[in-house]
Every structure is written in C-alpha cells, then in structure tokens.
C-alpha cells in the first residue's frame, strides 16, 4: 500500500508529464487541490473531518485519500447519510473509497 504522500506525488508526476489532458482530467486534479472548507459540506461532515484530525483551512480533498470507509464508520455520530456523502465526494475526486 502506498502512503498519502506517494499517492499525491504520483498525481503531480501525472500533471507534469501529460502534455495533452482532457478537461475532465484537469477538473479531477483541480478538485483534489480544493481546500476542505471550500466544499460547502454540511457542518456534521466538517465535524467528522475534524475528528479525523484534518484541518479544514489547510487540508485538501487529496488529503482524504489516507482514509477509507472503515475509518469513517468508526467515528461517533457518523451515520449512513454521512458515509454516502463522503462516498460521493471520493467518487467525484476519483479516489477509491
């Protein structure tokens, strides 16, 4: 299993070496660099992210790649709807959940 840093470095390498990218690829890469506070999520999800130790002002969507479904399920007050919202967020960022 690769670390979060190795995953993000691989994404950066893809950025550098692809000369022609589709608009969709650029959209995914840009979305992964979005700060968590800018996602316009319900506050209960922001609280979940804080419980995971993520800083909303500095961490990005790409930083979520080190967490999986079981990490979210273990947290208190994280129900089915919250898990579904995170699942949708991961899918949008093309990060495996």
């Amino acid at each position: 299993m690769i670390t979060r840093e190795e995953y993000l470095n691989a994404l950066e390498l893809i950025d550098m070496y692809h000369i022609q990218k589709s608009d969709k690829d650029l959209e995914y890469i840009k979305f992964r660099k979005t700060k968590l506070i800018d996602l316009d999520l319900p506050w209960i999800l922001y609280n979940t992210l804080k419980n995971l130790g993520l800083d909303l002002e500095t961490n990005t969507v790409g930083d979520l790649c080190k967490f999986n479904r079981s990490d979210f399920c273990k947290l208190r007050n994280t129900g089915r709807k919250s898990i579904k919202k995170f699942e949708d967020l991961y899918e949008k960022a093309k990060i495996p959940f």
Side-chain angles (χ1 to χ4, degrees):
M1 186 164 162
I2 65 172
T3 65
R4 184 188 97 214
E5 288 78 23
E6 290 171 336
Y7 179 78
L8 295 175
N9 287 338
L11 290 177
E12 291 297 323
L13 286 174
I14 290 169
D15 282 352
M16 291 187 317
Y17 291 110
H18 280 194
I19 296 171
Q20 294 185 2
K21 297 178 189 166
S22 70
D23 291 338
K24 213 169 210 182
D25 288 341
L26 291 174
E27 182 180 317
Y28 296 137
I29 292 166
K30 185 177 179 182
F31 182 69
R32 286 184 184 126
K33 294 180 181 180
T34 303
K35 292 187 179 185
L36 296 174
I37 197 74
D38 297 333
L39 292 177
D40 195 31
L41 296 172
W43 277 104
I44 194 160
L45 298 184
Y46 285 125
N47 290 336
T48 301
L49 294 172
K50 283 183 185 179
N51 290 338
L52 287 170
L54 294 173
D55 180 17
L56 303 178
E57 297 290 334
T58 58
N59 289 108
T60 63
V61 173
D63 294 330
L64 287 175
C65 69
K66 66 181 178 179
F67 301 104
N68 58 28
R69 177 185 296 273
S70 64
D71 295 324
F72 289 104
C73 290
K74 291 176 190 174
L75 293 173
R76 188 171 167 226
N77 296 329
T78 305
R80 280 189 339 231
K81 289 181 184 179
S82 296
I83 297 295
K84 177 64 177 149
K85 293 220 182 253
F86 280 116
E87 191 175 86
D88 295 341
L89 180 66
Y90 273 61
E91 184 178 318
K92 186 175 179 182
K94 297 290 183 191
I95 299 172
F97 193 58

